[in-house]
Amino acid sequence: MSITVQSDACVGAGQCALVAPDVFDQDDDGIVLLLEPDPQGSDLEAATRAVRLCPARAISLAP
């Protein structure tokens, strides 16, 4: 699975960085930063949860 982020759509809620800190971080303005575009194992599970929790739908997961 591959993750992409649309930083221009991000509202800085930070849910992604909270639930998947090895996959996502935030810059100084709170905008999502993608640390691991191809997570595996438990990181993939956490990233999938982050996709669901993102209020702006700025994160997507593709096969």
Side-chain angles (χ1 to χ4, degrees):
M1 293 293 209
S2 178
I3 295 184
T4 57
V5 297
Q6 295 176 325
S7 57
D8 59 330
C10 180
V11 296
Q15 295 301 306
C16 56
L18 288 174
V19 300
D22 292 333
V23 181
F24 303 103
D25 199 357
Q26 292 177 282
D27 68 13
D28 291 338
D29 295 320
I31 302 303
V32 64
L33 296 172
L34 182 59
L35 303 176
E36 177 54 62
D38 189 25
Q40 304 294 315
S42 62
D43 286 340
L44 177 57
E45 292 174 28
T48 300
R49 184 168 180 228
V51 169
R52 290 193 312 267
L53 291 173
C54 180
R57 301 294 180 242
I59 306 168
S60 59
L61 188 62

